Amino acid sequence: MTRREASAADDNVLTYDPYDPAIRADPYPYFEHLHRTCPVHHHVLTETDRVTLLDNPLAAEPTLDFYEVVSYEGVCALVQDHATFSSTRGSGPERSLVPPNGGVLNNADPPHHKRQRQILAQLLNPRAVNAMEPRIRQIANELVDTFVADGEGDLVELFTRHFPGLVFSEILGADPGDVEIFERWASAVIDAFGGTAAQAREGATAIVEMAGYFMRLVEQRRASIASGQSPPRDLLTLLIEASDPQT
């Protein structure tokens, strides 16, 4: 950043607004200034932004303001203080409803988070991941085969939009026919970050729908195990067996 750019950032730091489209397009001069002079920045939400955040079915209470911690030392202290900065309240500035049973992974605090990571680390070890490679390559080749004869195509639309969902459903044991639903959920959640009030609602709805989908799938799989059937040996079954001592 040039001296002139630094001066401009100094002049505007009090009006720094992480929701401002112009600042979001090029936030780096502001980040650099915050690192040097304001490692913990207090942002008071406008009335419009307050309404947008509150118009979310997962929001537990009104959000008037929030703090941005930009220093390495500050972030390290924050992520290790689970009592003060609980992950169960969500990753956004809005205070989310506390999830049941301690939350899941990035929305969970110790000891739940540690136990869940230990289970996943055992199941997704290098040997297990390497064993998935042939099938993942096959999925990739099948997608490429749908457009390679054309000699050209939109890689995002024809490949990357579908590939994660297909692999995801394969690994977890979900119905491959539901891959379009996964794509819709993923798009809705991503669009909700910094989006409109309508996009925030759609993102929250997608999270609720996704949770319900997998809760039903888990219950079906548990019932299958309890009845003595042999369910598919996919990641979902392994997660159930690792988390349910009775299995």
PDB file of all heavy atoms in Angstrom, residues 86-111:
ATOM      1  N   SER A  86     -18.059 -18.588  22.609  1.00  0.00           N
ATOM      2  CA  SER A  86     -18.548 -19.924  22.287  1.00  0.00           C
ATOM      3  C   SER A  86     -18.834 -20.070  20.796  1.00  0.00           C
ATOM      4  O   SER A  86     -19.443 -19.189  20.173  1.00  0.00           O
ATOM      5  CB  SER A  86     -19.822 -20.215  23.072  1.00  0.00           C
ATOM      6  OG  SER A  86     -20.397 -21.443  22.672  1.00  0.00           O
ATOM      7  N   SER A  87     -18.423 -21.184  20.230  1.00  0.00           N
ATOM      8  CA  SER A  87     -18.703 -21.470  18.828  1.00  0.00           C
ATOM      9  C   SER A  87     -20.155 -21.870  18.603  1.00  0.00           C
ATOM     10  O   SER A  87     -20.619 -21.891  17.460  1.00  0.00           O
ATOM     11  CB  SER A  87     -17.782 -22.595  18.329  1.00  0.00           C
ATOM     12  OG  SER A  87     -16.437 -22.203  18.364  1.00  0.00           O
ATOM     13  N   THR A  88     -20.870 -22.182  19.679  1.00  0.00           N
ATOM     14  CA  THR A  88     -22.255 -22.629  19.528  1.00  0.00           C
ATOM     15  C   THR A  88     -23.184 -21.500  19.107  1.00  0.00           C
ATOM     16  O   THR A  88     -24.326 -21.759  18.714  1.00  0.00           O
ATOM     17  CB  THR A  88     -22.785 -23.237  20.837  1.00  0.00           C
ATOM     18  OG1 THR A  88     -22.769 -22.234  21.868  1.00  0.00           O
ATOM     19  CG2 THR A  88     -21.926 -24.413  21.275  1.00  0.00           C
ATOM     20  N   ARG A  89     -22.718 -20.252  19.177  1.00  0.00           N
ATOM     21  CA  ARG A  89     -23.566 -19.123  18.797  1.00  0.00           C
ATOM     22  C   ARG A  89     -23.426 -18.769  17.322  1.00  0.00           C
ATOM     23  O   ARG A  89     -23.950 -17.744  16.882  1.00  0.00           O
ATOM     24  CB  ARG A  89     -23.252 -17.901  19.662  1.00  0.00           C
ATOM     25  CG  ARG A  89     -23.404 -18.139  21.154  1.00  0.00           C
ATOM     26  CD  ARG A  89     -24.751 -18.746  21.529  1.00  0.00           C
ATOM     27  NE  ARG A  89     -25.886 -17.953  21.126  1.00  0.00           N
ATOM     28  CZ  ARG A  89     -26.425 -16.995  21.879  1.00  0.00           C
ATOM     29  NH1 ARG A  89     -25.914 -16.723  23.066  1.00  0.00           N
ATOM     30  NH2 ARG A  89     -27.477 -16.320  21.457  1.00  0.00           N
ATOM     31  N   GLY A  90     -22.723 -19.590  16.565  1.00  0.00           N
ATOM     32  CA  GLY A  90     -22.628 -19.383  15.132  1.00  0.00           C
ATOM     33  C   GLY A  90     -21.386 -18.621  14.716  1.00  0.00           C
ATOM     34  O   GLY A  90     -20.665 -18.066  15.542  1.00  0.00           O
ATOM     35  N   SER A  91     -21.146 -18.585  13.405  1.00  0.00           N
ATOM     36  CA  SER A  91     -19.943 -17.959  12.862  1.00  0.00           C
ATOM     37  C   SER A  91     -20.179 -16.534  12.394  1.00  0.00           C
ATOM     38  O   SER A  91     -19.232 -15.821  12.063  1.00  0.00           O
ATOM     39  CB  SER A  91     -19.413 -18.788  11.686  1.00  0.00           C
ATOM     40  OG  SER A  91     -20.425 -18.942  10.698  1.00  0.00           O
ATOM     41  N   GLY A  92     -21.423 -16.094  12.330  1.00  0.00           N
ATOM     42  CA  GLY A  92     -21.722 -14.747  11.870  1.00  0.00           C
ATOM     43  C   GLY A  92     -21.909 -13.784  13.027  1.00  0.00           C
ATOM     44  O   GLY A  92     -21.869 -14.187  14.202  1.00  0.00           O
ATOM     45  N   PRO A  93     -22.109 -12.516  12.744  1.00  0.00           N
ATOM     46  CA  PRO A  93     -22.298 -11.540  13.818  1.00  0.00           C
ATOM     47  C   PRO A  93     -23.598 -11.731  14.586  1.00  0.00           C
ATOM     48  O   PRO A  93     -23.695 -11.334  15.744  1.00  0.00           O
ATOM     49  CB  PRO A  93     -22.273 -10.190  13.082  1.00  0.00           C
ATOM     50  CG  PRO A  93     -22.628 -10.512  11.674  1.00  0.00           C
ATOM     51  CD  PRO A  93     -22.078 -11.873  11.421  1.00  0.00           C
ATOM     52  N   GLU A  94     -24.620 -12.329  13.951  1.00  0.00           N
ATOM     53  CA  GLU A  94     -25.860 -12.573  14.679  1.00  0.00           C
ATOM     54  C   GLU A  94     -25.649 -13.694  15.687  1.00  0.00           C
ATOM     55  O   GLU A  94     -24.916 -14.644  15.443  1.00  0.00           O
ATOM     56  CB  GLU A  94     -27.000 -12.925  13.722  1.00  0.00           C
ATOM     57  CG  GLU A  94     -26.868 -14.249  13.002  1.00  0.00           C
ATOM     58  CD  GLU A  94     -26.083 -14.134  11.728  1.00  0.00           C
ATOM     59  OE1 GLU A  94     -25.280 -13.197  11.593  1.00  0.00           O
ATOM     60  OE2 GLU A  94     -26.250 -15.004  10.862  1.00  0.00           O
ATOM     61  N   ARG A  95     -26.286 -13.574  16.850  1.00  0.00           N
ATOM     62  CA  ARG A  95     -26.189 -14.611  17.880  1.00  0.00           C
ATOM     63  C   ARG A  95     -27.191 -15.703  17.542  1.00  0.00           C
ATOM     64  O   ARG A  95     -28.395 -15.528  17.711  1.00  0.00           O
ATOM     65  CB  ARG A  95     -26.480 -14.038  19.265  1.00  0.00           C
ATOM     66  CG  ARG A  95     -25.325 -13.318  19.924  1.00  0.00           C
ATOM     67  CD  ARG A  95     -24.980 -12.023  19.233  1.00  0.00           C
ATOM     68  NE  ARG A  95     -24.061 -11.181  20.008  1.00  0.00           N
ATOM     69  CZ  ARG A  95     -23.544 -10.059  19.560  1.00  0.00           C
ATOM     70  NH1 ARG A  95     -23.814  -9.653  18.323  1.00  0.00           N
ATOM     71  NH2 ARG A  95     -22.751  -9.342  20.308  1.00  0.00           N
ATOM     72  N   SER A  96     -26.684 -16.827  17.086  1.00  0.00           N
ATOM     73  CA  SER A  96     -27.561 -17.900  16.625  1.00  0.00           C
ATOM     74  C   SER A  96     -28.124 -18.688  17.793  1.00  0.00           C
ATOM     75  O   SER A  96     -27.603 -18.654  18.914  1.00  0.00           O
ATOM     76  CB  SER A  96     -26.796 -18.845  15.694  1.00  0.00           C
ATOM     77  OG  SER A  96     -26.300 -18.156  14.579  1.00  0.00           O
ATOM     78  N   LEU A  97     -29.208 -19.399  17.514  1.00  0.00           N
ATOM     79  CA  LEU A  97     -29.762 -20.318  18.496  1.00  0.00           C
ATOM     80  C   LEU A  97     -28.722 -21.374  18.842  1.00  0.00           C
ATOM     81  O   LEU A  97     -28.007 -21.869  17.965  1.00  0.00           O
ATOM     82  CB  LEU A  97     -31.020 -20.988  17.936  1.00  0.00           C
ATOM     83  CG  LEU A  97     -32.224 -20.075  17.651  1.00  0.00           C
ATOM     84  CD1 LEU A  97     -33.282 -20.846  16.867  1.00  0.00           C
ATOM     85  CD2 LEU A  97     -32.799 -19.532  18.938  1.00  0.00           C
ATOM     86  N   VAL A  98     -28.626 -21.727  20.116  1.00  0.00           N
ATOM     87  CA  VAL A  98     -27.664 -22.738  20.538  1.00  0.00           C
ATOM     88  C   VAL A  98     -28.129 -24.100  20.032  1.00  0.00           C
ATOM     89  O   VAL A  98     -29.267 -24.510  20.290  1.00  0.00           O
ATOM     90  CB  VAL A  98     -27.530 -22.762  22.069  1.00  0.00           C
ATOM     91  CG1 VAL A  98     -26.577 -23.873  22.510  1.00  0.00           C
ATOM     92  CG2 VAL A  98     -27.040 -21.412  22.583  1.00  0.00           C
ATOM     93  N   PRO A  99     -27.300 -24.817  19.271  1.00  0.00           N
ATOM     94  CA  PRO A  99     -27.718 -26.111  18.719  1.00  0.00           C
ATOM     95  C   PRO A  99     -27.865 -27.158  19.816  1.00  0.00           C
ATOM     96  O   PRO A  99     -27.220 -27.070  20.871  1.00  0.00           O
ATOM     97  CB  PRO A  99     -26.571 -26.470  17.754  1.00  0.00           C
ATOM     98  CG  PRO A  99     -25.388 -25.739  18.304  1.00  0.00           C
ATOM     99  CD  PRO A  99     -25.917 -24.466  18.898  1.00  0.00           C
ATOM    100  N   PRO A 100     -28.711 -28.159  19.583  1.00  0.00           N
ATOM    101  CA  PRO A 100     -28.881 -29.220  20.583  1.00  0.00           C
ATOM    102  C   PRO A 100     -27.663 -30.130  20.651  1.00  0.00           C
ATOM    103  O   PRO A 100     -26.877 -30.216  19.717  1.00  0.00           O
ATOM    104  CB  PRO A 100     -30.110 -29.980  20.067  1.00  0.00           C
ATOM    105  CG  PRO A 100     -30.091 -29.752  18.584  1.00  0.00           C
ATOM    106  CD  PRO A 100     -29.560 -28.352  18.402  1.00  0.00           C
ATOM    107  N   ASN A 101     -27.511 -30.770  21.787  1.00  0.00           N
ATOM    108  CA  ASN A 101     -26.457 -31.781  21.986  1.00  0.00           C
ATOM    109  C   ASN A 101     -25.051 -31.233  21.786  1.00  0.00           C
ATOM    110  O   ASN A 101     -24.145 -31.958  21.381  1.00  0.00           O
ATOM    111  CB  ASN A 101     -26.689 -32.978  21.048  1.00  0.00           C
ATOM    112  CG  ASN A 101     -28.055 -33.614  21.250  1.00  0.00           C
ATOM    113  OD1 ASN A 101     -28.510 -33.765  22.376  1.00  0.00           O
ATOM    114  ND2 ASN A 101     -28.718 -33.954  20.156  1.00  0.00           N
ATOM    115  N   GLY A 102     -24.859 -29.959  22.049  1.00  0.00           N
ATOM    116  CA  GLY A 102     -23.508 -29.416  22.004  1.00  0.00           C
ATOM    117  C   GLY A 102     -23.036 -28.947  20.651  1.00  0.00           C
ATOM    118  O   GLY A 102     -21.924 -28.446  20.521  1.00  0.00           O
ATOM    119  N   GLY A 103     -23.843 -29.101  19.597  1.00  0.00           N
ATOM    120  CA  GLY A 103     -23.433 -28.636  18.281  1.00  0.00           C
ATOM    121  C   GLY A 103     -22.575 -29.643  17.541  1.00  0.00           C
ATOM    122  O   GLY A 103     -22.261 -30.722  18.048  1.00  0.00           O
ATOM    123  N   VAL A 104     -22.177 -29.251  16.315  1.00  0.00           N
ATOM    124  CA  VAL A 104     -21.395 -30.134  15.457  1.00  0.00           C
ATOM    125  C   VAL A 104     -20.190 -29.382  14.909  1.00  0.00           C
ATOM    126  O   VAL A 104     -20.336 -28.313  14.301  1.00  0.00           O
ATOM    127  CB  VAL A 104     -22.243 -30.676  14.285  1.00  0.00           C
ATOM    128  CG1 VAL A 104     -21.399 -31.551  13.363  1.00  0.00           C
ATOM    129  CG2 VAL A 104     -23.443 -31.451  14.811  1.00  0.00           C
ATOM    130  N   LEU A 105     -19.003 -29.892  15.139  1.00  0.00           N
ATOM    131  CA  LEU A 105     -17.742 -29.414  14.589  1.00  0.00           C
ATOM    132  C   LEU A 105     -17.559 -27.909  14.760  1.00  0.00           C
ATOM    133  O   LEU A 105     -17.326 -27.445  15.862  1.00  0.00           O
ATOM    134  CB  LEU A 105     -17.614 -29.860  13.136  1.00  0.00           C
ATOM    135  CG  LEU A 105     -17.456 -31.379  12.957  1.00  0.00           C
ATOM    136  CD1 LEU A 105     -17.419 -31.738  11.482  1.00  0.00           C
ATOM    137  CD2 LEU A 105     -16.204 -31.888  13.664  1.00  0.00           C
ATOM    138  N   ASN A 106     -17.658 -27.121  13.679  1.00  0.00           N
ATOM    139  CA  ASN A 106     -17.353 -25.697  13.813  1.00  0.00           C
ATOM    140  C   ASN A 106     -18.379 -24.943  14.648  1.00  0.00           C
ATOM    141  O   ASN A 106     -18.134 -23.792  15.037  1.00  0.00           O
ATOM    142  CB  ASN A 106     -17.238 -25.039  12.430  1.00  0.00           C
ATOM    143  CG  ASN A 106     -18.523 -25.116  11.644  1.00  0.00           C
ATOM    144  OD1 ASN A 106     -19.125 -26.171  11.550  1.00  0.00           O
ATOM    145  ND2 ASN A 106     -18.954 -24.009  11.063  1.00  0.00           N
ATOM    146  N   ASN A 107     -19.518 -25.566  14.952  1.00  0.00           N
ATOM    147  CA  ASN A 107     -20.500 -24.954  15.836  1.00  0.00           C
ATOM    148  C   ASN A 107     -20.536 -25.657  17.191  1.00  0.00           C
ATOM    149  O   ASN A 107     -21.565 -25.642  17.876  1.00  0.00           O
ATOM    150  CB  ASN A 107     -21.896 -24.982  15.206  1.00  0.00           C
ATOM    151  CG  ASN A 107     -22.043 -23.956  14.102  1.00  0.00           C
ATOM    152  OD1 ASN A 107     -21.343 -22.948  14.089  1.00  0.00           O
ATOM    153  ND2 ASN A 107     -22.931 -24.200  13.172  1.00  0.00           N
ATOM    154  N   ALA A 108     -19.425 -26.243  17.579  1.00  0.00           N
ATOM    155  CA  ALA A 108     -19.352 -26.960  18.848  1.00  0.00           C
ATOM    156  C   ALA A 108     -18.126 -26.512  19.633  1.00  0.00           C
ATOM    157  O   ALA A 108     -17.113 -26.101  19.063  1.00  0.00           O
ATOM    158  CB  ALA A 108     -19.294 -28.472  18.616  1.00  0.00           C
ATOM    159  N   ASP A 109     -18.239 -26.578  20.946  1.00  0.00           N
ATOM    160  CA  ASP A 109     -17.126 -26.288  21.849  1.00  0.00           C
ATOM    161  C   ASP A 109     -16.629 -27.593  22.456  1.00  0.00           C
ATOM    162  O   ASP A 109     -17.330 -28.605  22.420  1.00  0.00           O
ATOM    163  CB  ASP A 109     -17.587 -25.354  22.984  1.00  0.00           C
ATOM    164  CG  ASP A 109     -17.923 -23.957  22.496  1.00  0.00           C
ATOM    165  OD1 ASP A 109     -17.269 -23.498  21.537  1.00  0.00           O
ATOM    166  OD2 ASP A 109     -18.813 -23.315  23.083  1.00  0.00           O
ATOM    167  N   PRO A 110     -15.407 -27.587  23.026  1.00  0.00           N
ATOM    168  CA  PRO A 110     -14.964 -28.749  23.781  1.00  0.00           C
ATOM    169  C   PRO A 110     -15.936 -29.014  24.947  1.00  0.00           C
ATOM    170  O   PRO A 110     -16.499 -28.060  25.491  1.00  0.00           O
ATOM    171  CB  PRO A 110     -13.579 -28.331  24.292  1.00  0.00           C
ATOM    172  CG  PRO A 110     -13.132 -27.271  23.331  1.00  0.00           C
ATOM    173  CD  PRO A 110     -14.388 -26.536  22.962  1.00  0.00           C
ATOM    174  N   PRO A 111     -16.156 -30.272  25.323  1.00  0.00           N
ATOM    175  CA  PRO A 111     -15.469 -31.471  24.822  1.00  0.00           C
ATOM    176  C   PRO A 111     -16.099 -32.064  23.556  1.00  0.00           C
ATOM    177  O   PRO A 111     -15.552 -32.985  22.970  1.00  0.00           O
ATOM    178  CB  PRO A 111     -15.610 -32.450  25.986  1.00  0.00           C
ATOM    179  CG  PRO A 111     -16.935 -32.083  26.593  1.00  0.00           C
ATOM    180  CD  PRO A 111     -17.031 -30.578  26.484  1.00  0.00           C
TER     181      PRO A 111
END
